[in-house]
Amino acid sequence: MINKLVASMAEALKDVKDGSVVLIAGFGNSGIPVELIDGLIEQGAKDLTVVSNNAGSGRTDVAKLLGTGRVRKLVCSYPRTSGSVVFEEMYSAGKLELELVPQGTLSERMRAAAAGLGGFYTPTAAGTKLAEGKESRMIDGREYVLEKPLKGDVALVKAERADRWGNLTFRLAARNFGPTMAAAADLAVVQAREIVELGAIEPELVVTPGIFVDRIVHVPTPKQAGTP
Amino acid sequence: MTGLSREDIARRAAADLWDGAVVNLGIGVPSLVANYVPAGREIVYHSENGVLGVGPSPEAGKGDPDLINASKQLITLMPGASIFHHTDSFVMIRGGHIDLALLGAMQVSVEGDLANWSTGDEKMPPAVGGAMDLAAGARGVYVLMEHTTKDGSPKIVERCTYPLTAKRVVKRLYTNLAVIDVTPSGLVARELAPGLSFAELQGKTGAKLDLANDWKPVSV
């Protein structure tokens, strides 16, 4: 029997190792797996590389994780937002390395990892500072930049509904990076608001097929990120 | 002379959108454009975080925290809207499926170079978001912004001094003072804020402007 449901947050995150690359889904405060992030802080892994579109606002969720000092490097498209105080403190104190990646390139690099590709050529950032040091080539008269895959050791994803095989649906635009990150990590850990019977999600409405998911923890009343 | 409000800049830009256009709305003034759809037209607004069919802002106190735009403000959905994940959203952006990107800017040059992600100041962490993907992939880029910085420095310049987002992509500018086209022969002011003289406009612009023969006051 396939059963990816785990009984506790501790079990869901038990073997996250120091030095892991952790993909954290979400955009702004939507789709941030707040409880999984709190679980990771509790679990204690350090020397982490975190991949996330933003760097959190206030002092909760992603910002709280950065504030523990256990994140060595942040791979991010838009770290500086209103309220990104912890990121700014850590960055200006030289305690956090930043790799700034255009948002579409960030997503596609993870998709490439999920898809087993060695990289891709994109017109994004060609001729700019963010392409410095990267291989580029002309294809049909246009300059493209080589971008390499970005694979996670762990992905933390917030879903709306899950079954025990790991089939997922998402709530509104909280979907954002979830499906790509789940597929791009060796260990995809999902928090789901609702656990449903196998077959309860119409097959044609499954957003993330269960083979991309490894563990599911039930979080029936998830917090919205950015709220105390 | 402050000219148009942010809402009026958005309303003026929306008036140029055509029936059936698919238009990405970036951070800042562009996000306000979703509140303005010219009568009789269907325009599909795209938000980089995975929404097609963005509607106007919800009433105060309403809205859903999982329905937001690139500016992280609450939005509504139009009938016919769709939601998709980030990678698909940037397939749309990078793959030329978006007719027009409306973006904010820190600087725009005479040649349409766009700078909107970094001041180059090492102490100020940069933030690029989807700007470089949009600039490279949308079929057209229009900029909506204040004409000058808060301290009055020109944002429209001969050459960008900030690191570029993309070269030669901006086709039109909507500011609080004017509507300006980027043409092969230079910047052409098409519309001026009511009461503003061309000399005043030129004085607030860091690059040479031409005044269109058929120029008119901005009407919103």
Side-chain angles (χ1 to χ4, degrees):
Chain A
M1 181 172 127
I2 302 166
N3 185 12
K4 295 176 180 176
L5 278 165
V6 297
S8 69
M9 194 59 79
E11 192 182 341
L13 297 166
K14 61 185 175 188
D15 42 15
V16 178
K17 294 181 182 65
D18 291 352
S20 292
V21 176
V22 183
L23 316 180
I24 302 181
F27 179 93
N29 289 329
S30 178
I32 304 274
V34 176
E35 286 75 10
L36 283 173
I37 295 169
D38 284 342
L40 182 64
I41 292 169
E42 183 79 13
Q43 192 264 0
K46 56 183 189 294
D47 195 29
L48 302 173
T49 294
V50 164
V51 181
S52 190
N53 189 62
N54 305 104
S57 63
R59 294 188 178 272
T60 59
D61 47 89
V62 177
K64 188 174 169 187
L65 178 60
L66 297 179
T68 62
R70 296 185 200 140
V71 180
R72 182 177 60 78
K73 181 178 176 184
L74 179 67
V75 183
C76 187
S77 94
Y78 210 84
R80 182 168 44 77
T81 55
S82 68
S84 57
V85 285
V86 177
F87 164 74
E88 285 163 47
E89 283 165 15
M90 301 298 282
Y91 181 82
S92 59
K95 290 179 182 167
L96 184 65
E97 184 187 338
L98 173 68
E99 181 181 345
L100 192 76
V101 181
Q103 196 171 154
T105 298
L106 185 68
S107 195
E108 194 66 17
R109 284 179 62 192
M110 290 186 280
R111 198 201 75 89
L117 301 176
F120 56 95
Y121 284 94
T122 177
T124 301
T128 75
K129 207 171 138 188
L130 291 188
E132 280 174 10
K134 290 179 178 168
E135 183 183 326
S136 72
R137 65 187 289 180
M138 299 298 287
I139 300 172
D140 295 337
R142 188 167 190 199
E143 187 182 358
Y144 290 75
V145 180
L146 176 63
E147 292 286 355
K148 293 186 177 163
L150 177 55
K151 185 178 171 62
D153 295 305
V154 184
L156 306 182
V157 170
K158 180 184 187 179
E160 174 66 3
R161 206 163 277 119
D163 63 28
R164 65 178 170 81
W165 279 19
N167 294 310
L168 306 179
T169 67
F170 296 84
R171 184 169 189 277
L172 298 171
R175 182 181 308 189
N176 57 63
F177 283 92
T180 300
M181 286 183 169
D186 287 336
L187 177 69
V189 185
V190 173
Q191 62 169 79
R193 190 187 64 79
E194 190 184 1
I195 308 295
V196 297
E197 289 297 316
L198 215 53
I201 305 172
E202 286 288 323
E204 63 191 7
L205 298 181
V206 170
V207 176
T208 289
I211 64 161
F212 295 126
V213 171
D214 297 289
R215 293 177 193 158
I216 303 148
V217 59
H218 187 203
V219 178
T221 52
K223 276 188 215 144
Q224 197 74 13
T227 54
Chain B
M1 180 74 239
T2 54
L4 277 61
S5 66
R6 288 160 57 88
E7 287 72 18
D8 282 345
I9 297 171
R11 191 182 282 120
R12 174 61 195 87
D16 286 344
L17 303 178
W18 59 95
D19 192 34
V22 180
V23 181
N24 175 277
L25 303 181
I27 291 179
V29 180
S31 290
L32 300 171
V33 173
N35 292 322
Y36 307 103
V37 175
R41 293 177 222 171
E42 284 189 327
I43 296 165
V44 182
Y45 291 126
H46 175 269
S47 188
E48 65 187 11
N49 51 314
V51 182
L52 271 174
V54 175
S57 311
E59 291 169 45
K62 297 199 175 165
D64 188 302
D66 286 330
L67 283 179
I68 58 174
N69 60 22
S71 296
K72 284 85 179 176
Q73 296 154 338
L74 297 172
I75 59 168
T76 56
L77 299 179
M78 301 291 284
S82 55
I83 287 175
F84 33 89
H85 66 73
H86 244 83
T87 307
D88 279 350
S89 187
F90 281 82
V91 162
M92 295 174 193
I93 289 170
R94 212 188 300 98
H97 307 278
I98 304 287
D99 292 316
L100 204 53
L102 305 185
L103 301 177
M106 295 172 174
Q107 290 180 330
V108 176
S109 82
V110 169
E111 293 183 325
D113 292 352
L114 172 65
N116 70 354
W117 67 282
S118 166
T119 60
D121 179 348
E122 293 295 328
K123 284 182 222 108
M124 269 287 283
V128 65
M132 286 190 182
D133 305 281
L134 285 157
R139 279 183 254 161
V141 175
Y142 291 174
V143 161
L144 284 67
M145 66 176 190
E146 298 291 327
H147 202 86
T148 62
T149 63
K150 279 175 189 150
D151 65 10
S153 304
K155 294 170 73 171
I156 302 170
V157 293
E158 287 289 340
R159 278 171 169 276
C160 296
T161 55
Y162 295 156
L164 293 187
T165 304
K167 282 183 188 171
R168 297 176 181 242
V169 291
V170 180
K171 301 292 181 235
R172 178 169 265 209
L173 288 149
Y174 300 90
T175 78
N176 53 321
L177 301 184
V179 178
I180 297 169
D181 278 345
V182 180
T183 77
S185 56
L187 300 174
V188 178
R190 300 264 172 220
E191 299 180 18
L192 273 57
L196 184 76
S197 73
F198 180 64
E200 286 173 303
L201 179 68
Q202 181 64 76
K204 290 175 184 296
T205 308
K208 183 183 170 298
L209 296 173
D210 288 319
L211 184 63
N213 290 329
D214 57 348
W215 78 274
K216 56 185 183 180
V218 179
S219 165
V220 290

